[in-house]
Amino acid sequence: MPKIGVMIEVPAIIFQLNSIIKDIDFISIGSNDLTQYLMAVDRNNEKVSNLYNPLHPSMVHILKQIADISKTNHVDLSICGEIAANPIAIPLLLGIGIHTLSMNSISIPQAKWIIRHINHSDCKILASEVLQLSDKDRAHPTLANTKYLFE
């Protein structure tokens, strides 16, 4: 039998994830659409696209919630979308427990370099710090200042 999974692209599934988790083998997070629907912002509309922020505290918390549910239930987890290849987001994703990143091939060398050279223990500390932030504008500077993570 093929593995059965879900692609999480709408926030509503978060409320049902515990109910369906026993019936699936994997979760994939479609971060572009999930961010767009969570933030109620059309990322392709120039009038509001500046509000689209995959590192908004609400998005970070929902990613952490998905990662925790996945880990507790021993279900494979991956993430795709722009955040998966974002150099400042990769340490955060690792820190909250998302270890499988799907991206376009041109982004793979940089992502591999980051993953190989980062201090993974410090990624958890970084994630904890970012999860404490309440101001959407503070996540970017916090994540951009991750040089201490590299061994």
Side-chain angles (χ1 to χ4, degrees):
M1 289 297 294
K3 291 189 176 205
I4 304 295
V6 295
M7 171 70 83
I8 297 181
E9 293 184 321
V10 293
I13 191 65
I14 305 307
F15 300 105
Q16 296 177 299
L17 198 51
N18 281 316
S19 300
I20 65 168
I21 198 81
K22 303 287 188 244
D23 298 321
I24 60 175
D25 301 305
F26 67 90
I27 297 169
S28 183
I29 301 169
S31 66
N32 293 345
D33 286 339
L34 182 59
T35 302
Q36 179 169 295
Y37 299 134
L38 180 68
M39 304 303 300
V41 172
D42 180 357
R43 66 183 183 263
N44 297 315
N45 180 333
E46 64 185 48
K47 293 179 181 177
V48 294
S49 63
N50 63 311
L51 300 173
Y52 176 87
N53 181 359
L55 296 173
H56 187 280
S58 296
M59 186 63 180
V60 174
H61 281 275
I62 210 166
L63 292 175
K64 175 69 169 139
Q65 186 176 357
I66 296 166
D68 289 347
I69 292 169
S70 171
K71 183 178 180 180
T72 299
N73 291 279
H74 310 288
V75 171
D76 292 337
L77 175 63
S78 65
I79 189 166
C80 61
E82 294 171 22
I83 196 172
N86 183 332
I88 68 167
I90 290 172
L92 172 66
L93 295 173
L94 297 174
I96 62 175
I98 302 174
H99 301 115
T100 302
L101 312 174
S102 177
M103 62 193 71
N104 61 41
S105 61
I106 200 161
S107 301
I108 292 173
Q110 182 179 36
K112 283 175 79 171
W113 188 93
I114 291 169
I115 292 167
R116 287 180 178 153
H117 291 89
I118 203 152
N119 183 327
H120 292 267
S121 298
D122 287 341
C123 289
K124 291 180 182 182
I125 295 168
L126 174 70
S128 179
E129 290 174 10
V130 171
L131 286 163
Q132 298 302 315
L133 299 176
S134 59
D135 183 327
K136 70 176 178 66
D137 296 324
R138 291 179 56 201
H140 281 81
T142 300
L143 291 169
N145 188 22
T146 58
K147 292 182 182 178
Y148 72 92
L149 295 173
F150 292 93
E151 300 174 309

